Amino acid sequence: MLNPCSPDFVASLAARLPETLTAPEPRWLEEPRGKWQGQAGAVARPRTTAEVAQIVRACAEARVGLVPWGGGTGLVGGQVMTEGPLPLVLSLERMNRMRAVYPSENVMLVEAGMTLAEVHAAAAEVERVFPLTLASQGSCRIGGNLATNAGGVNVVRYGNARDLCLGLEVVMADGTIWNGLKRLRKDNTGYDLRGLMIGSEGSLGVITAAALRLFPVNRAEGAALLVVPGPAEALALLALAQERLGPGLSAFELISGQGLAFLAETMPQIRQPFAEAPDWMVLVDLGLTGGDPEAELVGLYEAGAEAGLVLDGVIAQSSAQRAGLWDLRETIPLANRAVGAISSHDISLPLSEIPGFIPAATEALMRLGPFRINCFGHLGDGNLHFNVFPPKGQKAAEFKALAGEVQELVHQRVVDLGGSFSAEHGVGRLKVGDLERWGDGAKLAAMKAIKAALDPHGIMNPGAVLR
Amino acid sequence: MLNPCSPDFVASLAARLPETLTAPEPRWLEEPRGKWQGQAGAVARPRTTAEVAQIVRACAEARVGLVPWGGGTGLVGGQVMTEGPLPLVLSLERMNRMRAVYPSENVMLVEAGMTLAEVHAAAAEVERVFPLTLASQGSCRIGGNLATNAGGVNVVRYGNARDLCLGLEVVMADGTIWNGLKRLRKDNTGYDLRGLMIGSEGSLGVITAAALRLFPVNRAEGAALLVVPGPAEALALLALAQERLGPGLSAFELISGQGLAFLAETMPQIRQPFAEAPDWMVLVDLGLTGGDPEAELVGLYEAGAEAGLVLDGVIAQSSAQRAGLWDLRETIPLANRAVGAISSHDISLPLSEIPGFIPAATEALMRLGPFRINCFGHLGDGNLHFNVFPPKGQKAAEFKALAGEVQELVHQRVVDLGGSFSAEHGVGRLKVGDLERWGDGAKLAAMKAIKAALDPHGIMNPGAVLR
């Protein structure tokens, strides 16, 4: 059993680490969706890895739970401990130094507390790109991005956070420091501890620094918003785009007519891209080392039209128009929030199951209630945000009683088709039950054994990922 | 302590699994370099995952060690147990079915016993590419490739084996089956067990099947052999190639004049690419969805020459010429073997350390003896095969007494520069001592804890990776 982060414990830690501990302010106990209220005995804001190690060691000795905190932007409650003995919140916000940049290696060593936007800016300074792209990049921090294996819009080209990291520095649950900040593309000297720590959501150790992969800047970029008859044609267009554009394809996002309708409803000032909102669109983004992306996209449009996959479309004629198409895409989640979802689902499916899933799940939901569904997201990765809303003029709260059933229906179908009930947001505290219910038994047993082996006192982010 | 794989144990297993067990023939006890002689009480050749599970469970109950065996091509002794209680060799060779192909998803489900060449052929049948490329592809098996996180020549573009696998089916050390054969690009539901099993060299479980990533076929391919002044210019040329050719760059291999001299010495029938062998060359390979790779390579040649990075070169004018350049590259290891190395090193370094490392390590070695060094390999990944040979007319055996010192010198320098003493071949049994000596203490402790947690009786590939 854990002990609470008591005033005595805080005082003894504060004596050893002056100016590091502070009383918990609301910002460390809230999360973006306002679903959970965190609690903490204190907040520690260390400046160095050695200080992190000292804090973790103290927590291990005193059996005090520890909640690592990056930017607080996670959507599954991994950053807020709502019950149990009061934990210590360990914020990495002051560990925000850029340790080193190696442009010729396309590698950068960053501390966990840099915001993703700061990481982007540092890469741009040496004419490189760090391609992880998220709506929350101004406030989320790279340590949290790695701890949750964040995804985003460019995964189809560059992979998830795990794929963008060559090495880590981690304070393990006993306070020892693993110096794994390798700048190597190939290193087969033992188990993949890097991959294990990434995506473990702070439940196995505290990521304090990382060696990130950088990429050359795309010299020529383009985007197109193409109207497709439906999800099946969108997937056929994805295959065509991959064949024609190869690895230059940077994003392939699905947008639904419902998404545009929500925009019109909640932000009428935003200009709609088409006179009449189509049912389904894809946003195709292209980044090349040279050449003419606009011509490539025109070629895709024409080949798609000829194959019956594209009905209409807009191809950006300038970088401002490209940014405009992306603004449209990025504003849809805000419109969703303004409408208010009954239940949101961050799911992934084998690509070929998607065209069958969308109408079948929609039909099944319609039997439950008069819902509106906004299905959109990272089609190139098979990752959809399949979000269920009340009918126009009604509020999500009126359907609160059905929310559990809605989620159950969606997740059960996803799992039946070999999909995932958490594609990119993680398990956190929200989906611990889902994992227990739908996770593979052997995998769960292995996870529990690993957790017990690496964090025997259970101090690391108690209640996250595993109960 | 483990028990030997006794005749009684074999008989009881054979009674339950008829036609699965056989006496060990030499092929299961040998390895390519002839350094180690394996031993076994019997060889099991199961046909199904259920049979593998039954065998592993029996070994777990009887505390009998188990050596998973793929194609037997590993270079670090991971497939041969040379001492300790007689193990059971578990060969996956009969589990060689293609379970399913999903061309529209770019995914293929294969069993562990398919050879890499069979995997290539199956991908080609649906006009796709599985890009892992190794000299041993005719005999190595995909289960072994994954267990060792194999690398090869296309890592600069497509990544290592770990990056090419979406999901696994694994028989865990207690005989339970983890069904993790996901076909998903994004799945954040718990710890990265897939990444952990890949590269664990059979020491945590037996990989029985995998979901592999496929890629579109490159419609236009090209290659060039470019003469460079030295490794520093080769790296500058790599950056230029990445900037100009982007993700179309499929391979970037370093070749040394010593390599060509070994070819001339041992295979005089092979035509040399240049009248006078240059000191340093790079083989650049390009795969595009369309366009003109030859023109791209001419452009790289010219830009490189202008920047003083390229002195001379050959650009393949046909796919036959491209194949010829690759034959030259792939024949160098055979020439090495014919000459006979005193010590071979599969190392990786941060890219920017390579130009300093090569002359400094060479100079230090020259103080030890009149060696010849063939330094070649996957420069694009920072992975070099830095192999040390006797002077002309002498044999490696005459320098046997120095071999340990040579290896020590090379590995120590590599580690000092933040490099790896096993870039792509793994730890096996050869480098267990190196890992203990040079591995990070916190990582080693975590590895041991994970091993004990997932394989508490220590039956999985005893003595491999960890003692």
Side-chain angles (χ1 to χ4, degrees), chain B residues 2 38 68 120 169 209 233 237 265 270 275 284 327 333 337 356-357 414:
Chain B
L2 292 175
H120 287 170
E169 179 188 86
E233 290 82 3
L237 186 64
E265 195 177 315
I270 288 183
V284 185
D327 277 349
R337 215 166 281 187
F357 168 81
V414 165

Side-chain angles (χ1 to χ4, degrees), chain A residues 368-389:
Chain A
L368 280 186
F371 305 130
R372 293 183 293 175
I373 292 167
N374 187 8
C375 171
F376 68 103
H378 321 302
L379 188 65
D381 320 315
N383 174 197
L384 299 175
H385 298 303
F386 191 85
N387 296 354
V388 182
F389 296 84

Side-chain angles (χ1 to χ4, degrees), chain A residues 73-440:
Chain A
T73 60
L75 297 173
V76 289
Q79 73 279 47
V80 281
M81 190 169 153
T82 55
E83 48 180 22
L86 279 188
L88 179 72
V89 166
L90 177 66
S91 169
L92 280 301
E93 64 198 80
R94 284 175 172 170
M95 284 198 63
N96 59 355
R97 286 184 317 130
M98 158 71 63
R99 290 209 188 152
V101 195
Y102 304 90
S104 73
E105 297 180 11
N106 283 319
V107 175
M108 193 157 73
L109 301 189
V110 302
E111 287 188 344
M114 282 181 77
T115 66
L116 182 52
E118 287 167 352
V119 172
H120 287 170
E125 256 181 50
V126 292
E127 286 188 72
R128 295 292 186 279
V129 173
F130 180 67
L132 188 69
T133 306
L134 304 172
S136 59
Q137 58 200 31
S139 45
C140 64
R141 296 176 193 271
I142 189 68
N145 299 146
L146 291 165
T148 57
N149 188 30
V153 296
N154 293 136
V155 173
V156 69
R157 175 166 184 171
Y158 298 100
N160 295 292
R162 188 179 283 122
D163 304 303
L164 300 173
C165 174
L166 297 174
L168 290 178
E169 178 186 87
V170 175
V171 174
M172 308 296 286
D174 62 357
T176 60
I177 298 168
W178 168 40
N179 181 359
L181 274 183
K182 299 272 182 83
R183 284 140 53 199
L184 307 173
R185 311 277 158 165
K186 281 179 168 173
D187 179 24
N188 276 345
T189 53
Y191 303 159
D192 183 21
L193 200 54
R194 179 196 58 83
L196 182 65
M197 287 293 162
I198 295 173
S200 66
E201 306 184 37
S203 70
L204 298 176
V206 183
I207 294 171
T208 50
L212 302 180
R213 292 179 67 186
L214 303 178
F215 294 82
V217 173
N218 290 312
R219 299 286 168 199
E221 297 179 307
L225 184 65
L226 303 179
V227 178
V228 294
E233 291 81 4
L235 279 168
L237 186 64
L238 171 65
L240 189 67
Q242 286 173 324
E243 201 184 304
R244 292 180 64 99
L245 311 174
L249 182 70
S250 301
F252 196 90
E253 297 281 305
L254 184 69
I255 297 175
S256 77
Q258 187 64 69
L260 293 189
F262 282 174
L263 277 179
E265 194 176 317
T266 61
M267 303 177 201
Q269 73 279 16
I270 289 184
R271 196 174 152 202
Q272 292 276 327
F274 300 101
E276 206 164 322
D279 284 343
W280 295 103
M281 292 141 277
V282 291
L283 176 57
V284 185
D285 198 81
L286 190 57
L288 303 173
T289 51
D292 185 349
E294 201 185 308
E296 296 282 351
L297 288 167
V298 170
L300 177 67
Y301 181 114
E302 289 173 353
E306 195 165 322
L309 307 175
V310 175
L311 302 175
D312 194 359
V314 177
I315 295 171
Q317 310 287 311
S318 65
S319 61
Q321 284 188 15
R322 176 169 171 262
L325 293 179
W326 273 107
D327 276 348
L328 196 75
R329 161 66 184 85
E330 297 295 7
T331 313
I332 290 172
L334 303 180
N336 285 345
R337 216 166 281 186
V339 175
I342 298 167
S343 184
S344 300
H345 311 98
D346 164 39
I347 59 173
S348 64
L349 285 158
L351 287 180
S352 64
E353 300 290 358
I354 288 176
F357 167 82
I358 294 176
T362 302
E363 206 190 304
L365 284 169
M366 290 310 166
R367 286 196 292 268
L368 280 186
F371 305 130
R372 293 183 293 175
I373 292 167
N374 187 8
C375 171
F376 68 103
H378 321 302
L379 188 65
D381 320 315
N383 174 197
L384 299 175
H385 298 303
F386 191 85
N387 296 354
V388 182
F389 296 84
K392 203 168 174 175
Q394 291 185 262
K395 290 216 170 328
E398 300 171 43
F399 294 88
K400 213 178 161 185
L402 283 176
E405 207 174 333
V406 166
Q407 182 182 297
E408 160 86 19
L409 184 155
V410 173
H411 284 179
Q412 183 66 60
R413 273 173 189 261
V414 164
V415 170
D416 288 346
L417 295 170
S420 169
F421 55 85
S422 185
E424 57 177 8
H425 295 166
V427 175
R429 291 178 173 82
L430 175 65
K431 296 186 179 176
V432 172
D434 300 81
L435 182 59
E436 284 173 354
R437 173 161 177 198
W438 284 302
D440 176 274

